[in-house]
């Protein structure tokens, strides 16, 4: 049986102002019976048309591009079914074999990791181009805030720093058994490693983040919303945390406004996801 997983994790990432308002999208509802947007296609409430806003321009800035990574899990292995860009109510498949996208907040560009290297997508012109000359199978990608350098995670779970416009890569030896990567606004590198646990890479090597549940599953890591100046965003199960470069962490508590906005966003996202789901699948 084919299980379709539209993973909302890193994927509904937005450019421009949206970064400053929206929280990283993941299932952080306290009511687990409600939405589970990690696997929205397995949520039958999503097709309740009366719960779908017919107009979500109030929720999504229409000129903002959001990216949706569509994948299918076959025999425990995640395979790409394409990255889509959603803008002005339109959905466009931009790259077929990609699982990773990293928008660049200050420019209308996003980097995409693909089976055959790195691509760059211009959200204004909607053009996609190969970036640099690397040919790695890239499953995770993050762009530094203060430079044009990138970090990539390759299919063999190795992290590289990519410099010189995508023509040079250096292995990050400190990061091992890496599943996912993220940077914070200060360009510290974090990753999810063994046992689904997050680590931070420091000048004295990788450090395990303290103060988190052990053996957690369904973990997610990303750059935090812009209002969180230091540290990265980490989620396990339904709880969000800010994790710091000194290897500490603290739970993030949503206020009522954030909860409300999140619910509205989830509903709007479900509408978009149902459009993705209606795209033909080979
Ligand atoms: C949704 O997922 C859960 C857990 O994997 C499973 O038990 C349930 O049958 C699924 N529901 C549908 C409608 O696929
Ligand atoms: C569908 O939406 C209506 C109105 O919001 C709500 O009353 C109803 O319970 C929903 N049904 C499901 C199955 O979610
Ligand atoms: C929800 O989806 C199911 C299965 O596709 C369908 O039978 C049902 O009529 C749908 N409900 C609504 C309110 O669209
Ligand atoms: C959608 O909602 C926004 C504000 O909520 C409103 O300004 C806009 O006119 C609405 N658009 C349509 C097409 O109804
Ligand atoms: C990429 O280009 C750089 C500079 O032109 C060159 O030094 C490097 O060997 C190339 N790498 C590959 C993998 O082709
Ligand atoms: C990103 O880098 C710029 C340039 O150094 C800096 O001014 C800005 O504060 C950084 N952004 C955040 C959110 O820290
Ligand atoms: C976590 O997992 C490890 C290895 O699977 C196991 O030895 C350990 O007992 C687990 N710890 C808890 C608290 O479940
Ligand atoms: C670690 O960093 C955080 C955020 O900067 C700070 O609040 C905390 O006190 C630091 N903890 C230690 C033990 O240095």
């Amino acid at each position: 049986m084919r299980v379709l997983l539209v993973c909302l994790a890193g994927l509904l990432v937005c450019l421009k102002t949206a970064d400053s308002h929206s929280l990283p999208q993941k299932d952080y509802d306290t009511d687990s019976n409600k939405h589970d947007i990690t696997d929205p296609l397995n949520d039958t409430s999503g097709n309740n048309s009366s719960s779908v806003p017919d107009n979500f321009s109030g929720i999504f800035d229409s000129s903002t591009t959001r990216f949706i990574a569509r994948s299918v899990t076959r025999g425990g292995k995640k395979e790409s079914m394409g990255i889509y860009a959603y803008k002005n109510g339109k959905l466009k498949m931009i790259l077929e074999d990609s699982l990773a996208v990293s928008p660049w907040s200050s420019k209308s560009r996003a980097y995409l990791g693909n089976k055959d290297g790195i691509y760059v997508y211009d959200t204004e012109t909607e053009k996609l181009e190969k970036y640099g000359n690397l040919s790695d199978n890239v499953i995770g990608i993050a762009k530094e805030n203060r430079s044009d350098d990138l970090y990539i995670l390759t299919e063999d779970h190795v992290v590289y720093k990519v410099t010189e416009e995508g023509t040079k890569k250096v292995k990050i030896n400190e990061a091992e058994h890496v599943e996912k990567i993220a940077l914070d606004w200060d360009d510290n590198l974090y990753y999810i490693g063994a046992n689904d646990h997050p680590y931070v890479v420091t000048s004295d090597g990788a450090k395990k983040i303290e103060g988190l549940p052990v053996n957690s599953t369904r973990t997610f890591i990303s750059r935090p919303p812009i209002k969180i100046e230091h540290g990265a965003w980490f989620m396990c199960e339904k709880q969000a945390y800010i994790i710091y470069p000194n290897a500490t962490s603290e739970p993030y508590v949503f206020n009522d406004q954030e909860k409300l906005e999140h619910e509205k966003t989830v509903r709007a996202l479900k509408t978009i996801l149902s459009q993705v789901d209606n795209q033909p699948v080979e």
Side-chain angles (χ1 to χ4, degrees):
M1 194 187 106
R2 167 179 278 166
V3 185
L4 236 194
L5 252 180
V6 175
C7 187
L8 275 192
L11 52 79
L12 282 148
V13 224
C14 10
L15 290 174
K16 293 191 184 162
T17 57
D19 258 342
S20 52
H21 304 302
S22 50
L23 294 159
Q25 294 303 328
K26 185 88 201 289
D27 46 324
Y28 52 71
D29 295 62
T30 44
D31 180 358
S32 58
N33 295 324
K34 275 169 82 193
H35 305 296
D36 181 356
I37 64 172
T38 328
D39 189 358
L41 301 176
N42 179 14
D43 181 349
T44 46
S45 68
N47 74 346
N48 185 346
S49 58
S50 60
S51 71
V52 169
D54 24 324
N55 166 13
F56 42 73
S57 61
I59 299 174
F60 295 155
D61 171 359
S62 60
S63 61
T64 296
T65 301
R66 281 166 182 261
F67 295 96
I68 299 173
R70 190 185 188 198
S71 63
V72 56
T73 303
R74 284 194 187 94
K77 198 168 178 301
K78 200 157 129 188
E79 291 173 27
S80 171
M81 290 178 63
I83 293 237
Y84 294 77
Y86 181 84
K87 185 181 167 188
N88 291 328
K90 284 202 205 97
L91 195 63
K92 184 182 167 190
M93 148 91 90
I94 52 176
L95 195 55
E96 229 169 285
D97 286 319
S98 175
L99 287 166
V101 56
S102 176
W104 186 355
S105 322
S106 56
K107 300 238 173 121
S108 55
R109 302 177 84 188
Y111 293 95
L112 292 97
N114 202 53
K115 272 189 179 154
D116 62 350
I118 305 167
Y119 287 76
V120 62
Y121 179 72
D122 186 316
T123 58
E124 295 294 326
T125 63
E126 303 189 1
K127 287 218 170 70
L128 181 78
E129 275 172 23
K130 184 86 167 57
Y131 179 76
N133 61 359
L134 304 179
S135 54
D136 303 71
N137 185 342
V138 179
I139 60 168
I141 191 162
K143 186 198 161 292
E144 287 204 333
N145 173 41
R146 291 185 169 85
S147 80
D148 288 351
D149 297 344
L150 305 170
Y151 286 89
I152 56 169
L153 170 63
T154 56
E155 199 189 27
D156 50 0
H157 305 284
V158 174
V159 182
Y160 298 90
K161 182 165 186 173
V162 176
T163 58
E164 290 167 38
E165 299 188 341
T167 59
K168 194 175 164 212
K169 66 171 186 186
V170 177
K171 189 176 171 200
I172 306 295
N173 291 312
E174 293 87 351
E176 291 183 318
H177 312 294
V178 179
E179 297 292 338
K180 287 169 198 156
I181 56 170
L183 294 170
D184 64 16
W185 293 110
D186 303 314
D187 296 334
N188 295 299
L189 175 66
Y190 302 79
Y191 67 93
I192 292 181
N195 289 332
D196 256 351
H197 201 92
Y199 295 78
V200 59
V201 176
T202 71
S203 50
D204 326 320
K207 291 200 174 126
K208 190 172 178 174
I209 306 288
E210 304 297 335
L212 297 170
V214 286
N215 296 353
S216 44
T217 55
R218 305 179 65 203
T219 53
F220 168 72
I221 194 168
S222 76
R223 185 168 264 161
I226 210 162
K227 65 176 185 177
I228 296 168
E229 287 176 38
H230 303 293
W233 185 262
F234 174 73
M235 299 201 63
C236 65
E237 313 296 339
K238 308 260 172 194
Q239 178 62 53
Y241 297 85
I242 307 297
I243 56 179
Y244 295 111
N246 62 11
T248 64
S249 62
E250 61 188 3
Y252 185 84
V253 181
F254 295 98
N255 63 34
D256 289 347
Q257 179 67 25
E258 286 169 341
K259 276 189 194 145
L260 205 69
E261 275 174 16
H262 174 66
E263 273 162 30
K264 270 161 73 184
T265 308
V266 168
R267 284 201 295 271
L269 292 179
K270 283 187 173 176
T271 311
I272 298 173
L273 289 168
S274 67
Q275 281 186 41
V276 177
D277 196 29
N278 289 333
Q279 302 274 312
V281 175
E282 298 99 56

